[in-house]
Amino acid sequence: QVQLVESGGGSVQAGGSLRLSCALSEYPTYMRCLGWFRQAPGKEREGVAAILSGIGVTEYADSVKGRFTIAQVNADNTVSLQMNSLKPEDSAMYYCAAATSIGACLVATTYSSWGQGTQVTVSS
């Protein structure tokens, strides 16, 4: 099973930017969706952005469209999430995930492999 390790979280003021990175332990030749999810205290885990591996088609939650960008870098087996114009409501633990089965790429149950998460805190 692929291992995923996130990095790049931190604290930033509203309007600022952060770039998250997810390192995969192997090249995702058999994976379908690669996604970023987030979970705030007391809330359900929600899909933020996803990309179809090797194809490049992306999908975003309405709340982040135009502000977040997901990208897959095959050369070093990473998936990044560039987050701009951050808002306090973006504060959460962010998780990287990989899916081998067919399913909706912004739905958590599609995914079988998860990273440990990286914290993002946006202050007003």
Side-chain angles (χ1 to χ4, degrees), residues 55-71:
I55 299 175
V57 175
T58 58
E59 188 176 358
Y60 297 92
D62 288 343
S63 59
V64 306
K65 281 181 181 177
R67 300 188 298 122
F68 290 13
T69 302
I70 187 172

